[in-house]
Amino acid sequence: MPPTSVMSVSFKTGLILIGFMGAGKSTVGRALNRHTGLPLVDLDEVIVQQQGRSISEIFAEQGESAFRCYETEALRSLDSVQPRIMATGGGIVGRPENWPLLRQLGRLIYLRAEWPTLKSRLVGSTGRPLASSEVSQEALRELLEQRRPLYEQADLIVDTDNREVDEVVREILDRIKETE
Ligand code: S3P
């Protein structure tokens, strides 16, 4: 990947990263931010700021359904004027009302990773109530399978298994440029 200074990338729309927990949305988001100069927003961080609590605290105190309401609220609070890179939480695809909000914010990019990759990345991860040690591997895999057809409604699907971040970023930038 050439350094940012020699890349001429300009996007009219935002780039919205979706995919399962552990797919690399935050990591790829940071790399895209470096290469495009577009501001980076992590929707989970917006929720934490707006609610003044961690994701784990929200789940523990109010449960998942409250978290989903806060997630939609956070999405609604973002304007679509400024194009941005946005990393979303893995469950953002679950609520139908989130889809028009997401599409308004930019192109949806599904960072696809298969179960063995996700499983190895999620082992021992903290701060993810739906992937805690109390959740069985079977349940987690089932959740992935339930969400898979939703993720596949993205504008772009990019594979991340066994690939370096830079390679993933290059593919995203090349494919988006083709359609600008
Ligand atoms: C969730 C994914 C998390 C976070 C919350 C719920 C999910 O974000 O939003 O713990 O339902 O998949 P990451 O995908 O960034 O881990």
Side-chain angles (χ1 to χ4, degrees):
M1 197 87 179
T4 317
S5 54
V6 298
M7 282 195 69
S8 70
V9 188
S10 86
F11 292 113
K12 296 179 209 82
T13 59
L15 305 180
I16 313 302
L17 304 174
I18 65 171
F20 203 65
M21 292 171 275
K25 298 169 302 246
S26 300
T27 308
V28 171
R30 281 193 295 273
L32 280 169
N33 161 254
R34 282 197 302 277
H35 286 285
T36 64
L38 290 181
L40 172 66
V41 172
D42 186 312
L43 195 66
D44 277 346
E45 282 172 17
V46 176
I47 299 167
V48 168
Q49 271 171 20
Q50 290 180 347
Q51 302 306 321
R53 286 172 293 166
S54 69
I55 305 282
S56 300
E57 283 167 341
I58 297 171
F59 268 76
E61 289 163 15
Q62 292 183 286
E64 181 175 354
S65 62
F67 172 77
R68 296 300 167 203
C69 293
Y70 297 143
E71 196 172 38
T72 302
E73 204 176 300
L75 206 49
R76 272 190 220 285
S77 72
L78 300 170
D79 70 78
S80 55
V81 179
Q82 163 71 63
R84 56 171 82 76
I85 309 293
M86 186 168 82
T88 60
I92 196 75
V93 294
R95 278 186 150 196
E97 65 261 52
N98 291 344
W99 282 85
L101 297 168
L102 287 167
R103 292 207 190 276
Q104 240 179 9
L105 293 171
R107 308 284 177 80
L108 301 193
I109 301 166
Y110 169 27
L111 295 184
R112 181 164 60 189
E114 292 308 327
W115 173 243
T117 305
L118 295 168
K119 189 168 96 173
S120 67
R121 290 189 193 153
L122 290 172
V123 166
S125 92
T126 53
R128 288 183 170 115
L130 294 182
S132 76
S133 54
E134 284 159 35
V135 178
S136 72
Q137 299 281 299
E138 291 73 29
L140 204 52
R141 188 172 188 173
E142 173 66 17
L143 187 60
L144 169 66
E145 294 313 323
Q146 276 170 21
R147 289 178 180 172
R148 190 188 292 277
L150 299 170
Y151 294 137
E152 287 173 349
Q153 290 174 33
D155 301 306
L156 210 69
I157 299 178
V158 178
D159 286 309
T160 66
D161 290 298
N162 306 313
R163 297 179 82 190
E164 296 293 331
V165 175
D166 273 358
E167 207 184 323
V168 171
V169 166
R170 178 182 289 282
E171 179 178 339
I172 293 172
L173 297 179
D174 285 349
R175 289 177 62 191
I176 291 285
K177 266 188 281 180
E178 279 166 19
T179 60
E180 279 274 299

